[in-house]
Amino acid sequence: MSAEALHSLVAAAHRVVVKVGSSLVTDEGRGIDHAAVARWVGQISALHGLGKEVILVSSGAIAEGMKRLGWVQRPREIPELQAAAAVGQMGLAQAYESAFSAHARPCAQILLTHADLAHRRRYLNARSTLLTLLAHGVVPVINENDTVVTDEIKVGDNDTLGALVTNLVEADALIILTDQHGLYSADPRRDALATLIRDAAADDPALVGMAGGAGSSIGKGGMLTKVLAARRAARSGAHTVIASGREPDVLLRLAAGEAIGTQLRAGAAKLAARKQWMVDQLQLAGRVTVDAGAARRLRDGGASLLPVGVTEVGGEFERGDVIAVLDAAGTEIARGLSNYAAAEARLIRRTPTTQIETILGFIEEPELIHRDNMVLTRG
Ligand code: GLU
């Protein structure tokens, strides 16, 4: 495909995750590059004006913390890294806060660990919070919560975190801004014949060999983590673009349809991938039986399941557990993530949405299972 014919996959995307790497954010460790931050933030604000939703994943806490503490060598000890992250994150938050203020665009800091995304209840909570921020026109600025992570609960690099966030909010595209022009067929520093890959399927196995393993000394991720992140993002239907964050107006031009850097296409349909994940990976912790009307609305219309349609609740599940939805004959028709624990579901079954708060004293969501979190398992 010629460069001219290639159209940016970002143009059609409504919800976009933008990840910026440490060496870009901190000007290769020299300290936060406020001018660069202002440029990305200006572009993100403009994308909002075009009706797109943007979530920013920003690295740079450790690099900035080291700079502020006067450390030249990246420490090896975890507590030292965590201390640097705690110091540097203040700088990141301050930089984004003032850059977004200049555009009168509210932003919010979210610090996540892998445990927040692996545990279903916390996954749902994080998702609800992020979607609520987006609904209010706020740009979430995310980093790993480096100060508390241990090996067991850490994501480890922000390319992967960006992909997990892409899955979490079901973004249409993940843009990884880095200090290189994209993915090359071989390491361009060693191979004069290396060419920029402009377009490929995210799951193309050849990409892993091209990406190699080398990362920079500033951030954590190399090209390999970016390729694997693209593969992960594709599971929820998102395309990935790897492009240079130094390219002028890179985000705006991508959104306008210009293909810049490397684009890695998602193959599988968005919902199919997510539904597959739900069916394959999680244990069923309980079940609800629904009346004929609710069963029909689930089967025919892809509706959410409201508490009013539930006649019986079985098992002991927590908010965020996967449960089965049975019809009156006891046949499983769907599975999904419950917004309520079993004890709560028992109290609000057969209850109109308007009564939930009166009965429970709080309301998590109007649905027992939102349709985005549900897969039909039969007819
Ligand atoms: N969370 C780390 C930081 O902000 C960066 C991880 C990465 O470089 O991917 O310093």
Side-chain angles (χ1 to χ4, degrees):
M1 209 184 270
S2 76
E4 288 69 37
L6 201 56
H7 191 71
S8 162
L9 298 167
V10 177
H14 170 63
R15 185 173 290 163
V16 181
V17 174
V18 176
K19 183 261 171 173
V20 281
S22 294
S23 80
L24 280 181
V25 175
T26 66
D27 193 16
E28 284 160 29
R30 282 187 274 271
I32 292 178
D33 185 341
H34 290 275
V37 166
R39 285 195 295 274
W40 300 315
V41 165
Q43 293 174 60
I44 290 170
S45 299
L47 292 184
H48 266 271
L50 297 172
K52 294 190 191 294
E53 295 175 331
V54 185
I55 293 154
L56 187 59
V57 174
S58 176
S59 306
I62 293 174
E64 174 64 12
M66 284 170 54
K67 152 93 189 333
R68 290 185 176 208
L69 292 166
W71 297 350
V72 183
Q73 292 282 335
R74 187 179 165 101
R76 288 171 176 273
E77 297 76 19
I78 302 286
E80 307 271 288
L81 287 167
Q82 293 181 320
V87 172
Q89 187 62 36
M90 294 290 278
L92 283 187
Q94 192 178 44
Y96 285 111
E97 166 61 22
S98 62
F100 277 108
S101 301
H103 294 270
R105 171 67 51 195
C107 63
Q109 171 172 274
I110 307 232
L111 300 176
L112 292 171
T113 67
H114 187 260
D116 298 320
L117 303 171
H119 291 175
R120 296 179 294 275
R121 178 205 285 257
R122 287 158 72 174
Y123 170 94
L124 276 181
N125 282 338
R127 177 182 153 86
S128 295
T129 305
L130 282 167
L131 296 184
T132 304
L133 289 167
L134 292 176
H136 285 87
V138 179
V139 179
V141 181
I142 301 179
N143 196 359
E144 179 143 30
N145 195 352
D146 294 307
T147 302
V148 300
V149 288
T150 57
D151 276 346
E152 293 73 42
I153 62 163
K154 82 174 168 199
V155 176
D157 71 84
N158 276 5
D159 296 323
T160 308
L161 180 63
L164 290 170
V165 168
T166 301
N167 294 152
L168 181 70
V169 299
E170 292 164 277
D172 306 301
L174 166 64
I175 302 174
I176 299 179
L177 294 182
T178 180
D179 53 4
Q180 294 172 50
H181 288 289
L183 173 66
Y184 284 82
S185 57
D187 187 339
R189 290 165 298 191
R190 284 182 218 139
D191 188 340
L193 297 178
T195 52
L196 181 69
I197 308 290
R198 300 196 42 93
D199 186 80
D203 61 359
D204 184 339
L207 298 176
V208 172
M210 294 173 188
S216 85
S217 56
I218 308 282
K220 285 290 285 181
M223 263 311 150
L224 184 58
T225 66
K226 292 172 180 47
V227 165
L228 298 178
R231 209 182 259 188
R232 190 183 287 277
R235 287 191 206 138
S236 61
H239 305 298
T240 296
V241 173
I242 304 169
S244 167
R246 300 203 173 98
E247 190 74 45
D249 288 335
V250 60
L251 299 174
L252 295 180
R253 285 161 58 203
L254 283 169
E258 190 180 335
I260 302 171
T262 301
Q263 59 183 26
L264 301 173
R265 294 170 181 268
K270 181 173 171 174
L271 280 177
R274 223 174 102 71
K275 287 176 175 179
Q276 206 56 52
W277 169 79
M278 211 179 289
V279 172
D280 287 348
Q281 309 235 346
L282 301 170
Q283 300 286 331
L284 296 194
R287 62 206 162 272
V288 291
T289 305
V290 300
D291 63 24
R296 196 173 54 247
R297 282 190 293 280
L298 297 189
R299 281 193 184 116
D300 299 347
S304 295
L305 176 62
L306 302 177
V308 71
V310 173
T311 55
E312 279 174 60
V313 177
E316 289 310 322
F317 50 89
E318 298 294 328
R319 171 171 157 84
D321 282 342
V322 172
I323 59 172
V325 180
L326 312 179
D327 66 12
T331 306
E332 181 181 310
I333 54 174
R335 291 177 178 192
L337 299 174
S338 178
N339 283 331
Y340 290 91
E344 295 157 357
R346 285 192 180 92
L347 291 173
I348 58 173
R349 75 191 166 93
R350 287 249 154 268
T351 302
T353 302
T354 50
Q355 303 290 309
I356 295 177
E357 192 162 4
T358 315
I359 293 177
L360 296 181
F362 63 90
I363 179 164
E364 294 281 12
E365 320 273 341
E367 311 86 11
L368 182 66
I369 303 176
H370 192 277
R371 64 181 183 175
D372 290 351
N373 295 324
M374 182 156 45
V375 50
L376 291 180
T377 47
R378 198 181 147 118

